[in-house]
Structure formats: structure tokens, C-alpha cells
């Protein structure tokens, strides 16, 4: 037999260098991705041609059952010769050797079925039989067969190759030469045709998982989610093309790949609609119908191992379904007029071209067996760039959201500054207006107390009581405003201590029982030995306000005050049998000046400040407050207070007025009416009063006062025309360090309250009644005198008349 002609292996496609920018370059890059991805293969073919040790056998004798033996040219594609794809075939090739090689001989095939057996001179040197772990029959792959030197001989040698196929049947030319020369070329082919697309699709799959993770957290991003699913499914399918082992049995692998193609088209169509912002119901129904119909037909065909026949009809239909995707992307690009979107359209077009090529190669068998799949190269690049564009749009949208948030925060900050300025203006107004309002109220209150002490006739006393009631209402309003102002200003600092709840109940009962008896209500305080930890003054004010409200708004029945245990806390509850509070008003009642069911304000119903003070005080203390109510059946207000260890019983001052007999007292007050009334009041309690109208007046009096005058009490207004009460205090204690002091103020300004709080001197807030003044002076007199260095005594605090 004559020697078969030998020639170098066919030259591959050359590398095409493209610019990185520009729309035209982008389009060319997407359409020529297969060429860009194959430079190692081209280099391998060039090296094979330049290597004289490698010879190419490009003819063979082909035989198959039921067919005559004939010589064919290599590469040989069975579909071009009408050879049935499922027929086992056998190729016989010959090559000659002048001498025996020093190393293994290499037989290199550009394309060889994964189901093959290779014989050299009748001896089996390589092969892969079908078995439990079947080889992947989807595509011929580069194969390198090593032949030991002992298996060949000088002269003619025969190579028999038995192959089995399920699709794309055929054989490439065979290269023969030393292993050292053939191995680098084979590795370059494997890297370009197997490893490279696998790496591209692995990277694409990782990006797809990232997009799906974003979609999982933001389900409204339908375009991102469907595109991520499309990328992941396509990457897994493309990667599986090059697996050495088939997925399951042959029929299962065919069915999975077929279903993956159908689902990919459905996802692509769904994504295109979401991306373009349109809804085509008919197109959606067509996609879903295709999924159902071809899913069922593919399953039946896979059971009969006839999936390849179904592909011949299904794939053209799937290609037609992809055309609207191109139209939708083009429509989106046209509406926005951006080059990026035009490039994305080019990416979709490139994928359609690759799908058409792969269909022509795999299903229609129009292309030679040596062709490679384009889609595993084109899809990860096109979809990767498309996904980056989608992620860029999402990042841009997030940037716009952040910018809007920044603008919103700036607006909120601006509004907050405006509110702070308005609040500061309100505080200044209250500080100025309330001082002027309190002065006459103090005078009236003290005068009424003096007149009542003189026991006038009953008609006159009745009139004085009504005047006293009116003054008390005004005092309550100003006191409530002062309390709110103090809580909002941040000048109130809680001083926590153990408190016997029984002592707290006794004090509140003493104050509120007369009002309950006047209305015919039964006010009950359930006995308890509980001890809590809180600020005694603030907690008493909270509970007293709750009890006062319950008594005020209960028409009949009674009020019960009790303690319930709640884990590590105690809940003080105030239950009443009043009208109850509807659900829609439960937030409003904690606002200032709110009276339910009283559009015309009723003074006997309070001023609507009590619950506002309760809420702010509880928040400052860190205590929870709550409300349970049922219209027509009453309400239950509660506050939770931490438990504490047993504390000594708190002793309350004995009733009665202070005794100041023979004690020298200095009174500094710039308002003449208040100064005269306070002088009479202190004188009635036995004090020797030295009134002064200003700080300068005080200094002038002190300059003329004799050495025998020992001042034991100082009562001074805080705001003076030529100074303030703290300066008065410092002046008096320079001469009489042991003098007890009381500052009186009607100011509510934040900085003034802060100064008084930090001074540690007892403060009485205007307006106040005779009883309040007497209680403060009595407590002051029972406290230890101040140290000689002028430091305030431990009894220093702020007194607000209730």
C-alpha cells in the first residue's frame, strides 16, 4: 500500500486585535468573540506546522456495519456523507517510520469522540468503554494518545480507531510525532477549547450568583433576578459541555440540556420585558406555553432517546422566540439614546449569532466536525458585560437614592434648626412673659393667705375662696408650663434613691383625698410593702398627676391605686371607673393642652398638661408607662419602676407654719407689691425683715447695719435690675456665712434654670402659695446650716409648688 501523503496540520484562526473603546469596536468584539478566544489554538496550529517532527495523516479507510469500506478525507463529518450518527464506525490510517523513536510516539487528534478505542498494529493502546460512568458524548474533543516505542516498528504502521457517537459524528486528521513535540501543542488546544470556556463560564456563574443574591434581598429587581438566573443556568450548561463524564445516563443528560435551553429562552424573554419596562401578555403566554409543551415533549423523547430529533424542530422555534428580545433591547436603547445600551443590543445579537452557529453545527450538522461551540465563549462575555451594565445602572440608582437621602437629611436638619430656633424663641417668650405674670400672682396669693388668717366674715371669706380658686388655676397653668420647660431644657437631673411605695401613697392620698370626697368618689390605695428605685420628687409628681387625672375625669365609682409585680420591676397602676378612652385618642392624651370630649375648655377638668408631664418625666427616668382602657368601663394608667432594697421610711415635715420669731431675714425683691406682701408674710411668722429693692440697695443696707445684726435667712428674687440672686447670695454670705438662703424665680429660660440647678441652692418657683412658702422655709430651717466657706447645704434643691 502506498504511503499516505503527509502535510502539516491546518493553520488555525489568527488573533485579531481590537481597540477597547468605541461602539464599532465593541460590536466587532462581540461578534468575533470566538476568534478572540482562540489564540492559543491558532498558536498551536502554527507550532504544529513549524514542527517537522509532526506529520499529519489526512486520509483513512472508513467502515461501518452495513456500509462498504471506502477511503475518506480527514477531517470527516458523517452528516455530510449521510452516515447514521448512532452507527459504530472504524477508521484505519497508516504511517511509516524510518527508525524506532527514543520516546513514546504521540497520536494527536483535533477532534475525537470520547467513546473510542485506538489500536496500533492491532494492539489496543487507548480507549474508553461505556459503563456506569459514561463519557460525555456531546462533542468530540482534543485527544492525545501515547504509544510506547515497543508497539511500533520500522516501516509501515497501522492505526485503527473505533468510535461511537450520539451527535456530531466524525474524525479530524491525525498528527503523528514525538510526544515531546506533540504534548505542548495538545495542551494549548485543550486550554483554548476546554479550559478557557470553562473558566469564562465559572466567572460568569459567580457574577450570576452575586446578582441573584442582590435580587433575593430586593425582589422588585425583576430584570436583575431573571438575568442572574439566565446567566447561572447558561454558565452551568456551557461548563457541562466540556465535562469528561456525562451527567447521569445518556437520556438524562440529553433531557437536562434540552430543558436548560428552553428555560433559558423563557428567562431571556422575561428579562427583556422587565428591562424594557413593558408587559406583553401574549408574549408571556407564548413563553410559558413553550416551556410546558416542549417540556412534556422533551421528557417523552428523552425516555425514547429521541431528544436529538426534537431539537431539530424545537431550536428553530426557540430562535424565533428570541427575536422579540432583540427588538425590546433595541427599543430601550432607542428611547434612552445611550451607546451603552446599543452595545448591550449588540451583545444579545452576538448571542443569537452564536446560538445559530451552534445549532447549525450540532443539530443541523451543517458545519464540519472540527468546528467549536461559539456560545460557551460568547455568552459569558456578552452576558458579563450586560450584567455589569445592569449593576452599573443599579449602582447609579443607589447613588441617586443616596443623593436624595442626603438632600432629605439636609432638609430635615434645616427644619430641625428652624424648630430649635422656634423652640428657643418660645422658651425666651415664656421666660419673659411668665416672670411678669407670676409677680402679681405671688402678691395676690400671699395677700389672700394673710386675709384668710384674719378670719373675716363668712360672705367675705366665701368671696376670697373663689378668688383663691381662680388664682390657684392660674398657678396650676404656669406651674405646668414651668415643669414642661424644665423637662425640655435638660436641666432636670434625676436623683435616684430607694422609695417606700407606702410613703408615696400616703403623701398622694393626703393631697387628693379631699378632691375625691368632694365628688363622692372612693379613692383607695392598696397597702403594700414594695420598695422601688427612682427620683422621689419626680415619681411622686408622676403618680400624683395620674391620680389627680383619674379623680378629675371619673364621674362615679372610684379610683384604685395598687402595685403589681412584673419580673424585676413593679408596676404602679391607677385604675378608675370613668368613661374610658377610645383607641384613636390614646396618643393624643399625652400631648399638651388636650382635653377629650371638652371642646369648650373646662377649668375644673384641668389644663391638659398632666399627662404630658407624666410622659416626659417617665422618659427622663427611663420608666415605661402604659394605658389600658375600654370605653364605658374605665381606664388603667401604669408606670413600671425597678425594684430596690428596703429603704428607711421617709419622714415628712410636720404640719404647720415655720417659726421665725426674732430671726433677722433679708428680703431682696425688685417688685414693690411682692416685696411689701412678702415682708408682711415673713413678719407675720415672727421674722425681723429687712426689705431691699436691688443688689445695690442690699449693699447700702449692709453698710449701715450694725455689728449686732445677725442675718440668719436670705430670701431673694433671682432676676434683679442690677444683678441676680446668686450675686446677692455671695454678697450676704461674705458677712454672714451661716445664713440660710432661698431663691425665688419666675424664669423658665434654659440657661437660667441650668445655673440655678448647678448652684445647689433651694429654689422656689413663682407663683407660689403661702403654704408652699411655709413648707420650703420649714424644710430649710430643719436642714443643717451651710458650711462657713459659703457652700450650699445638703438640702439644696428645686421646689415647684404642686
Amino acid at each position: 500500500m502506498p504511503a499516505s501523503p503527509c502535510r502539516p496540520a491546518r493553520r488555525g484562526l489568527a488573533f485579531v486585535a481590537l481597540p477597547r473603546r468605541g461602539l464599532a469596536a465593541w460590536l466587532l468584539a462581540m461578534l468575533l468573540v470566538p476568534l478572540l478566544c482562540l489564540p492559543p489554538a491558532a498558536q498551536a496550529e502554527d507550532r504544529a506546522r513549524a514542527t517537522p517532527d509532526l506529520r499529519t495523516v489526512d486520509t483513512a479507510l472508513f467502515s461501518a456495519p452495513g456500509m462498504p469500506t471506502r477511503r475518506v478525507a480527514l477531517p470527516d463529518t458523517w452528516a455530510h456523507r449521510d452516515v447514521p450518527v448512532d452507527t459504530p464506525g472504524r477508521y484505519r490510517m497508516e504511517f511509516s517510520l524510518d527508525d524506532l523513536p527514543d520516546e513514546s510516539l504521540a497520536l494527536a487528534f483535533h477532534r475525537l469522540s470520547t467513546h473510542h478505542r485506538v489500536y496500533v498494529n492491532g494492539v489496543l493502546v487507548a480507549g474508553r468503554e461505556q459503563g456506569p460512568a459514561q463519557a460525555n458524548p456531546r462533542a468530540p474533543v482534543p485527544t492525545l494518545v501515547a504509544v510506547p516505542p515497543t508497539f511500533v516498528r520500522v516501516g509501515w504502521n497501522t492505526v485503527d480507531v473505533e468510535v461511537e457517537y450520539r451527535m456530531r459524528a466524525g474524525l479530524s486528521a491525525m498528527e503523528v510525532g514525538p510526544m515531546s513535540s506533540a504534548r505542548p501543542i495538545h495542551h494549548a488546544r485543550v486550554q483554548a477549547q476546554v479550559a478557557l470556556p470553562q473558566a469564562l463560564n465559572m466567572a460568569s456563574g459567580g457574577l450570576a450568583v452575586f446578582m441573584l443574591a442582590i435580587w433575593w434581598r430586593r425582589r422588585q429587581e425583576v430584570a436583575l433576578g431573571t438575568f442572574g438566573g439566565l446567566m447561572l443556568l447558561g454558565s452551568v450548561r456551557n461548563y457541562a459541555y466540556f465535562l469528561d463524564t456525562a451527567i447521569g445516563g445518556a437520556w438524562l443528560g440529553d433531557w437536562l440540556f434540552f430543558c436548560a435551553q428552553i428555560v433559558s429562552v423563557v428567562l431571556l424573554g422575561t428579562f427583556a420585558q422587565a428591562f424594557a419596562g413593558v408587559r406583553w401578555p401574549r408574549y408571556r403566554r407564548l413563553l410559558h406555553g413553550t416551556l410546558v409543551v416542549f417540556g412534556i415533549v422533551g421528557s417523552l423523547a428523552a425516555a425514547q432517546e429521541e431528544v436529538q430529533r426534537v431539537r431539530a424542530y424545537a431550536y428553530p422555534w426557540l430562535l424565533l422566540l428570541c427575536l422579540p428580545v432583540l427588538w425590546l433591547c433595541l427599543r430601550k436603547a432607542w428611547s434612552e439614546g445611550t451607546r451603552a445600551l446599543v452595545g448591550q443590543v449588540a451583545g444579545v445579537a452576538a448571542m443569537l449569532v452564536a446560538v445559530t452557529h451552534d445549532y447549525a453545527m450540532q443539530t443541523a450538522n451543517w458545519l464540519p466536525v472540527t468546528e467549536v461551540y461559539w456560545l460557551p465563549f460568547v455568552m459569558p462575555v456578552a452576558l458579563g458585560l450586560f450584567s455589569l451594565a445592569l449593576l452599573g445602572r443599579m449602582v447609579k440608582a443607589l447613588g441617586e437614592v443616596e443623593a436624595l437621602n442626603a438632600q432629605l437629611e439636609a432638609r430635615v436638619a434645616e427644619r430641625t434648626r428652624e424648630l430649635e430656633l422656634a423652640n428657643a424663641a418660645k422658651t425666651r417668650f415664656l421666660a419673659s412673659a411668665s416672670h411678669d405674670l407670676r409677680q402679681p400672682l405671688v402678691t395676690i396669693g400671699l395677700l389672700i393667705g394673710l386675709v384668710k388668717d384674719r378670719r373675716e366674715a363668712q360672705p367675705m371669706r366665701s368671696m376670697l375662696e373663689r378668688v383663691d380658686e381662680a388664682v390657684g388655676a392660674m398657678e396650676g397653668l404656669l406651674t405646668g408650663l414651668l415643669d414642661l420647660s424644665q423637662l425640655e431644657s435638660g436641666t432636670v437631673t434625676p436623683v435616684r434613691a430607694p422609695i417606700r411605695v407606702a410613703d408615696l401613697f400616703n403623701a398622694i392620698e393626703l393631697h387628693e383625698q379631699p378632691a375625691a370626697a368632694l365628688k363622692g368618689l372612693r379613692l383607695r390605695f392598696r397597702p403594700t410593702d414594695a420598695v422601688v428605685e427612682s427620683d422621689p420628687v419626680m415619681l411622686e409628681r408622676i403618680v400624683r398627676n395620674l391620680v389627680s387625672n383619674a379623680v378629675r375625669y371619673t364621674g362615679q365609682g372610684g379610683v384604685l391605686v395598687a402595685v403589681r409585680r412584673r419580673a424585676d420591676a413593679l408596676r404602679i397602676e391607677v385604675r378608675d371607673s370613668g368613661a374610658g378612652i377610645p383607641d384613636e385618642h390614646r396618643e393624643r392624651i399625652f400631648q399638651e393642652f388636650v382635653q377629650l370630649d371638652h371642646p369648650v375648655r373646662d377649668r375644673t377638668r384641668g389644663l391638659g398638661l398632666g399627662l404630658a408631664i407624666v410622659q416626659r418625666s417617665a422618659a427622663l427616668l427611663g420608666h415605661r408607662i402604659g394605658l389600658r382602657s375600654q370605653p364605658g368601663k374605665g381606664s388603667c394608667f401604669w408606670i413600671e419602676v425597678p425594684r430596690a432594697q428596703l429603704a428607711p421610711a421617709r419622714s415628712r415635715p410636720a404640719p404647720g407654719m415655720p417659726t421665725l420669731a426674732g430671726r433677722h431675714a433679708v428680703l431682696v425683691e425688685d417688685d414693690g407689691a411682692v416685696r411689701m406682701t412678702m415682708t408682711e408674710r415673713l413678719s407675720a411668722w415672727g421674722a425681723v425683715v429687712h426689705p431691699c429693692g436691688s443688689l445695690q440697695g442690699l449693699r447700702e443696707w449692709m453698710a449701715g447695719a450694725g455689728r449686732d445684726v445677725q442675718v440668719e435667712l436670705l430670701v431673694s428674687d433671682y432676676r434683679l435690675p442690677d444683678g441676680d440672686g446668686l450675686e446677692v447670695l455671695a454678697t450676704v454670705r461674705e458677712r454672714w456665712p451661716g445664713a440660710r438662703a432661698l431663691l425665688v424665680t419666675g424664669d423658665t429660660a434654659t440657661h437660667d434654670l441650668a445655673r440655678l440647678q448647678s448652684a445647689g441652692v433651694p429654689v422656689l418657683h413663682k407663683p407660689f402659695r403661702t403654704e408652699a412658702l411655709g413648707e420650703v422655709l420649714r424644710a430649710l430651717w430643719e436642714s443643717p446650716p451651710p458650711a462657713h466657706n459659703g457652700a450650699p447645704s445638703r438640702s439644696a434643691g428645686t421646689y415647684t409648688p404642686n
Side-chain angles (χ1 to χ4, degrees):
M1 183 178 294
S4 38
C6 298
R7 65 170 181 260
R10 185 176 301 173
R11 182 177 181 181
L13 297 174
F15 175 76
V16 180
L18 294 175
R20 296 183 180 179
R21 296 183 179 178
L23 179 60
W26 206 94
L27 291 172
L28 288 175
M30 294 308 305
L31 293 174
L32 300 178
V33 163
L35 303 183
L36 296 175
C37 292
L38 293 178
Q43 295 172 7
E45 302 301 336
D46 289 340
R47 290 179 59 185
R49 180 180 180 184
T51 304
D53 293 340
L54 294 180
R55 291 171 291 172
T56 301
V57 179
D58 57 1
T59 63
L61 290 175
F62 175 78
S63 60
M67 298 182 64
T69 301
R70 57 176 294 187
R71 182 170 294 279
V72 296
L74 300 177
D76 175 40
T77 302
W78 290 11
H80 296 174
R81 298 191 294 110
D82 297 326
V83 179
V85 70
D86 55 354
T87 300
R90 184 184 183 94
Y91 290 91
R92 167 163 287 191
M93 293 163 284
E94 294 182 346
F95 65 93
S96 64
L97 294 176
D98 296 332
D99 51 15
L100 293 177
D102 297 332
E103 58 179 316
S104 294
L105 194 68
L107 307 179
F109 298 90
H110 193 62
R111 290 287 184 269
L112 176 64
S113 172
T114 50
H115 291 166
H116 63 266
R117 286 174 296 279
V118 180
Y119 299 86
V120 176
N121 297 324
V123 178
L124 179 66
V125 294
R128 184 162 185 178
E129 302 289 342
Q130 296 190 23
Q134 293 181 338
N136 188 352
R138 302 203 59 79
V141 294
T143 305
L144 184 66
V145 177
V147 180
T150 56
F151 286 11
V152 296
R153 56 180 176 262
V154 177
W156 294 106
N157 295 268
T158 61
V159 177
D160 293 298
V161 180
E162 297 178 356
V163 291
E164 296 178 10
Y165 292 97
R166 295 184 57 81
M167 61 184 67
R168 295 194 61 207
L171 182 68
S172 69
M174 181 181 70
E175 296 169 359
V176 182
M179 181 62 70
S180 58
S181 300
R183 181 178 288 112
I185 299 173
H186 172 74
H187 286 172
R189 287 172 180 164
V190 172
Q191 290 294 321
Q193 300 174 21
V194 179
L196 177 60
Q198 285 184 327
L200 288 174
N201 284 278
M202 286 180 64
S204 177
L207 183 58
V209 171
F210 175 70
M211 296 174 67
L212 287 173
I214 297 176
W215 168 78
W216 184 259
R217 299 298 300 269
R218 293 178 55 84
R219 299 296 181 87
Q220 65 270 27
E221 299 287 346
V222 179
L224 201 66
T226 52
F227 194 81
L230 173 65
M231 281 188 65
L232 183 60
L233 181 61
S235 300
V236 173
R237 181 196 62 214
N238 293 337
Y239 188 89
Y241 274 138
F242 304 97
L243 290 177
D244 187 54
T245 302
I247 302 175
W251 69 269
L252 179 60
D254 284 347
W255 180 77
L256 288 175
F257 278 99
F258 180 73
C259 291
Q261 297 284 12
I262 299 173
V263 175
S264 296
V265 173
V266 174
L267 288 174
L268 184 62
T270 306
F271 156 73
Q273 294 178 78
F275 177 69
V278 299
R279 293 176 62 88
W280 287 353
R282 293 183 179 178
Y283 182 52
R284 291 186 62 187
R285 287 195 292 269
L286 200 60
L287 291 172
H288 295 162
T290 299
L291 178 63
V292 173
V293 172
F294 280 112
I296 295 174
V297 173
S299 300
L300 297 176
Q304 302 297 323
E305 298 188 359
E306 295 291 342
V307 175
Q308 186 67 11
R309 294 182 183 273
V310 178
R311 285 195 181 98
Y313 301 98
Y315 284 6
W317 173 249
L318 296 178
L319 284 172
L320 288 176
L321 285 180
C322 291
L323 293 180
V325 173
L326 187 61
W327 165 250
L328 288 173
C329 293
L330 184 62
R331 175 179 172 179
K332 181 68 173 178
W334 184 268
S335 64
E336 296 193 4
T338 60
R339 291 186 176 183
L341 286 175
V342 175
Q344 293 162 13
V345 173
V348 176
M351 283 201 303
L352 294 180
V353 171
V355 169
T356 304
H357 170 272
D358 292 354
Y359 170 77
M361 180 187 68
Q362 175 181 323
T363 304
N365 289 314
W366 294 339
L367 300 178
V369 70
T370 52
E371 282 291 327
V372 297
Y373 286 111
W374 281 11
L375 195 60
F377 296 94
V378 174
M379 185 174 180
V381 177
L383 295 188
L385 294 176
F386 208 113
S387 63
L388 291 178
L390 285 177
L391 291 174
R393 292 180 60 188
M394 189 186 72
V395 170
K396 181 180 178 182
L398 291 176
E400 293 175 354
V401 170
E402 290 178 354
L404 291 176
N405 285 338
Q407 294 178 7
L408 180 61
E409 290 178 359
R411 292 180 182 178
V412 170
E414 182 180 354
R415 296 294 184 270
T416 302
R417 286 193 296 270
E418 292 176 357
L419 289 175
E420 289 175 350
L421 292 175
N423 190 50
K426 178 200 73 174
T427 303
R428 288 194 301 270
F429 169 77
L430 287 175
S432 300
S434 65
H435 181 273
D436 297 335
L437 287 172
R438 293 168 192 269
Q439 296 290 66
L441 283 176
V442 173
T443 304
I444 295 172
L446 293 176
L447 285 174
I448 290 175
L450 288 170
V451 174
K452 288 169 66 175
D453 289 346
R454 296 174 184 175
R455 304 180 181 274
E456 284 83 2
Q458 186 60 34
M460 181 63 69
R461 187 174 185 84
S462 177
M463 293 176 61
L464 288 173
E465 288 176 351
R466 287 196 295 272
V467 173
D468 191 29
E469 181 182 347
V471 172
M474 292 192 69
E475 288 179 352
L477 172 60
L478 292 176
T479 300
L481 289 173
L482 175 63
D483 290 342
L484 286 176
S485 178
Q486 285 181 309
L487 292 171
E488 291 177 353
S489 67
T491 59
V492 178
T493 303
V495 180
R496 302 178 187 273
I499 306 169
R500 290 180 181 269
V501 179
D503 294 342
L504 180 71
F505 284 1
N506 291 337
I508 298 174
E509 182 178 17
L510 183 65
H511 190 273
E512 298 296 335
Q513 193 65 255
L518 188 62
K519 296 185 65 175
L521 301 176
R522 184 181 179 189
L523 175 60
R524 294 179 298 153
F525 290 81
R526 183 170 294 169
T528 178
D529 58 355
V531 179
V532 297
E533 182 175 322
S534 183
D535 183 289
V537 176
M538 296 181 70
L539 182 61
E540 181 175 335
R541 179 167 54 185
I542 290 172
V543 180
R544 181 175 294 182
N545 278 333
L546 293 178
V547 174
S548 177
N549 263 17
V551 171
R552 186 177 296 118
Y553 286 96
T554 301
Q556 59 182 0
V559 177
L560 173 64
V561 186
V563 176
R564 291 183 178 273
R565 300 185 183 276
R566 288 290 185 273
D568 294 335
L570 293 174
R571 180 176 290 184
I572 301 176
E573 297 182 348
V574 179
R575 300 171 177 265
D576 64 62
S577 58
I581 301 171
D583 293 344
E584 61 270 19
H585 296 309
R586 293 188 181 181
E587 295 293 333
R588 290 184 58 235
I589 60 174
F590 289 99
Q591 299 174 4
E592 299 87 346
F593 302 106
V594 172
Q595 287 183 328
L596 298 183
D597 302 326
H598 294 285
V600 179
R601 299 191 63 81
D602 184 357
R603 191 177 66 199
T604 63
R605 295 280 185 158
L607 301 167
L609 294 175
L611 291 180
I613 294 172
V614 166
Q615 186 182 52
R616 286 164 173 77
S617 300
L620 185 61
L621 291 168
H623 299 340
R624 291 179 57 215
I625 60 172
L627 165 65
R628 297 192 307 273
S629 183
Q630 187 174 355
K633 295 187 178 180
S635 305
C636 174
F637 288 87
W638 52 264
I639 177 170
E640 280 189 359
V641 188
R643 295 185 186 181
Q645 298 297 323
L646 187 63
R650 186 176 57 170
S651 59
R652 300 191 59 83
M657 294 296 106
T659 301
L660 304 176
R663 301 181 185 274
H664 287 267
V666 173
L667 172 64
V668 182
E669 171 62 62
D670 61 323
D671 187 278
V674 176
R675 185 170 63 251
M676 181 186 66
T677 308
M678 285 281 288
T679 300
E680 291 189 25
R681 179 71 274 177
L682 295 175
S683 299
W685 286 336
V688 178
V689 184
H690 306 283
C692 302
S694 63
L695 178 59
Q696 181 60 33
L698 171 65
R699 289 171 177 161
E700 292 175 356
W701 174 81
M702 290 176 61
R707 294 287 182 180
D708 57 335
V709 175
Q710 293 296 323
V711 174
E712 299 178 73
L713 175 64
L714 167 66
V715 179
S716 174
D717 191 10
Y718 175 71
R719 179 184 292 188
L720 297 170
D722 56 350
D724 57 43
L726 295 179
E727 296 180 64
V728 170
L729 176 62
T731 302
V732 170
R733 284 191 173 168
E734 282 182 2
R735 183 167 177 180
W736 298 289
R740 291 174 170 83
L742 170 65
L743 296 183
V744 179
T745 183
D747 290 318
T748 59
T750 302
H751 65 280
D752 291 330
L753 295 177
R755 285 193 67 197
L756 291 172
Q757 181 76 17
S758 61
V761 181
V763 178
L764 182 62
H765 290 279
K766 298 177 182 179
F768 52 84
R769 313 298 294 277
T770 298
E771 296 79 7
L773 177 62
E775 182 179 354
V776 174
L777 290 178
R778 184 175 61 251
L780 181 63
W781 213 259
E782 293 174 355
S783 64
H788 289 295
N789 59 3
S793 67
R794 292 191 178 184
S795 61
T798 300
Y799 298 88
T800 301
N802 292 310

